[in-house]
Amino acid sequence: MKHTPTPAASTGLAALEAQLAQDLDLLELPAKPWVPTRMDEGAPVRDVVVIGAGMCGLAAIAKLVLTGITNVVAYDAAPAGLEGPWVTFARMQTLRSPKTLNGPSLGLPQLTFRAWFTAQWGVEAWRSLDKIPKGQWMNYLVWYRKVLGLPVRNSVRMTGLAPVGDLIAIDIEGAETGRVLSRRLVLATGRSGLGGFAVPDFLTGIDRAYWAHSADEIDFDALKGKRVAVIGAGASSMDNAATALEAGAGSVDMLIRRKEMPRINKLTGIGSPGVVLGMHQLPDAWKWKFFDYTASTQTPPPRSSTLRVSRHANARFFLDCGIVAVKEDAGGLLIETTQGPMRYDFLIAATGFSNDFNGRPEFAAIAPHIRTWSDGRYTPDMGPARAGMSDAPDLGPAFEFRERVPGSCPMLSHIHCFNDAAMLTHGKVSGDIPAVSAGADRLVRGIATSLFAEDVETHFANLIAYDTPELQGDEWVDSTPVLQKEAAL
Ligand SMILES: Cc1cc2nc3c(=O)[nH]c(=O)nc-3n(C[C@H](O)[C@H](O)[C@H](O)COP(=O)(O)OP(=O)(O)OC[C@H]3O[C@@H](n4cnc5c(N)ncnc54)[C@H](O)[C@@H]3O)c2cc1C
């Protein structure tokens, strides 16, 4: 749905920005910078570097700055305005989330999507808005970054990490190239977390001309008239199938292993501040139980995305259709399924993402040392092991990594995993829109606490050195001499 800005749109946004500035002023935010400056052999040292300036990276860096931790920067490999999935590989038309979620607004009403939207298009347009168009969500994130003046550098990729004393050296390439030193590192690297695409074994060795992952760049025009298969029954499978159909694909088959489509969005259904605040404090066995159950029941695709596929006469849904093997054959693919052989020109694997830290070169220095749930936090009495959960990182209370072998990689305790891979330890507070502000709050409390403790001697020295009197000495008179005089009488 397109919204025509009201004549008052620009003044509306300007008024909102003025109101936000006033609210920040009333709350004395940002707090004044309080972390001591640090140098290393003449080189400047950042307090925190954030990698990724998608929604989580922006919320994290905004919360750091508001908390007075201002010697910070976020780098994103994507050009400005193209961070995250929204206008790149997200192929849905609207967000699935309700429009009213307060998302990364960090408790500031004027920073919500709703305030931003209403300031430009008015209350009536807000009422008639159903779901948020994905491009509009991206525009909101662009504004969020601009209005808070966040220190983000685009087109800069982190390519490697190394310890330098108690600091982390971060190699960057792109619009800026070199090595940056930082005391803390936040990995807000998105849904692929620390791994990458999850690709089923049966696609190993199959020429990329015949298949793509749903998060790849896909030339949908090239699928015109072609027989397309899509694996999976989640939101991305529907969005990719619909995009192929709308681009004129000859046919699209959804190959779904399950006997039934998942129909109930379980975890969203019980969403509450209790879940947001309480999940990470639960005993591990309970955490496992919640996420094992939701992984087994699965999240259904949104109704609108499913209808966007099924409204095409050339779309078919095959349930109970597991894939046994895939072969290149006669200029296409021959797919052996549990329903028999099927032939296609192209396949899209909407098979999600993995936690395989070894999959990304920039994490090579830390990958072998990261402690996961399978290193003792998961125990068989919690239920059967499950890929995607057993390999989840075993994180500390501020999303910091832990070492598999104590002493093997101490910098891990200063690297914070603020992305989807944190879900099993922390609940859903570092990936999806609903609770990202709570996640950023937890992250920044932890970082502030540990920076303060690390600098305790400086803070104590500052205490001793502080000598600005509040009293001038002329506010009272010492009456003791009077007492002495009285005693002498
Ligand atoms: C298709 C899709 C639709 C979704 N729809 C919804 C929805 O409707 N509601 C909801 O609540 N959630 C939704 N989500 C889930 C979640 O909200 C999004 O994944 C969201 O983008 C998460 O934000 P993020 O900051 O963690 O990751 P991202 O937005 O993916 O940002 C990560 C950033 O890190 C950068 N990066 C990664 N590695 C490096 C590196 N080495 N160096 C520099 N930069 C790097 C990337 O360029 C990227 O911009 C959706 C997810 C997807 C994939």
Side-chain angles (χ1 to χ4, degrees), residues 118-136:
T118 313
Q120 296 176 89
W121 295 288
V123 174
E124 265 320 306
W126 171 256
R127 279 202 198 104
S128 58
L129 177 72
D130 177 23
K131 293 277 178 76
I132 301 172
K134 62 177 184 150
Q136 202 161 46

Side-chain angles (χ1 to χ4, degrees), residues 359-402:
R360 301 255 292 258
E362 66 262 47
F363 302 123
I366 54 173
H369 304 292
I370 294 175
R371 189 176 166 83
T372 66
W373 273 63
S374 62
D375 295 315
R377 191 152 179 178
Y378 160 77
T379 50
D381 54 316
M382 294 177 186
R386 182 187 275 282
M389 284 177 55
S390 319
D391 54 359
D394 168 2
L395 301 173
F399 299 87
E400 69 275 28
F401 288 108
R402 290 178 161 147

Side-chain angles (χ1 to χ4, degrees), residues 260-431:
E260 305 257 347
M261 288 281 279
R263 288 168 62 177
I264 302 167
N265 198 340
K266 292 275 188 176
L267 208 51
T268 298
I270 64 152
S272 75
V275 173
V276 170
L277 300 172
M279 187 68 78
H280 81 124
Q281 299 285 12
L282 287 177
D284 289 341
W286 270 113
K287 291 183 190 178
W288 187 274
K289 211 165 163 164
F290 271 99
F291 289 110
D292 182 52
Y293 180 72
T294 42
S296 70
T297 51
Q298 288 198 322
T299 307
R303 177 175 158 77
S304 57
S305 307
T306 312
L307 290 172
R308 194 177 151 208
V309 176
S310 61
R311 75 165 69 106
H312 294 267
N314 52 343
R316 299 187 297 181
F317 290 69
F318 291 113
L319 288 140
D320 195 12
C321 187
I323 294 177
V324 181
V326 178
K327 269 201 309 212
E328 289 169 41
D329 189 64
L333 294 174
L334 174 61
I335 304 189
E336 288 298 337
T337 76
T338 49
Q339 300 290 351
M342 300 183 177
R343 288 191 177 275
Y344 296 101
D345 301 307
F346 197 76
L347 177 144
I348 300 174
T351 41
F353 302 95
S354 83
N355 277 330
D356 180 5
F357 315 129
N358 297 297
R360 301 255 292 258
E362 66 262 47
F363 302 123
I366 54 173
H369 304 292
I370 294 175
R371 189 176 166 83
T372 66
W373 273 63
S374 62
D375 295 315
R377 191 152 179 178
Y378 160 77
T379 50
D381 54 316
M382 294 177 186
R386 182 187 275 282
M389 284 177 55
S390 319
D391 54 359
D394 168 2
L395 301 173
F399 299 87
E400 69 275 28
F401 288 108
R402 290 178 161 147
E403 299 164 290
R404 183 167 274 154
V405 178
S408 60
C409 186
M411 76 170 163
L412 279 178
S413 65
H414 290 166
I415 304 180
H416 302 259
C417 178
F418 194 55
N419 56 51
D420 208 60
M423 186 176 74
L424 185 55
T425 312
H426 275 274
K428 280 191 163 215
V429 295
S430 54

Side-chain angles (χ1 to χ4, degrees), residues 51-57 75-78 82-86 89-92 94-97 101 156-159 188-191 236 239 353 360 362-363 418-420 430-434:
I51 300 299
M55 181 183 64
C56 287
Y75 295 111
D76 199 298
L82 295 181
E83 302 89 350
W86 313 111
F89 67 87
R91 298 186 174 111
M92 70 280 192
T94 65
L95 298 197
R96 144 188 232 133
S97 308
L101 289 180
V156 181
R157 175 174 289 282
M158 179 185 92
T159 54
T189 43
R191 185 141 276 217
S236 287
D239 298 334
F353 302 95
R360 301 255 292 258
E362 66 262 47
F363 302 123
F418 194 55
N419 56 51
D420 208 60
S430 54
D432 293 350
I433 297 167

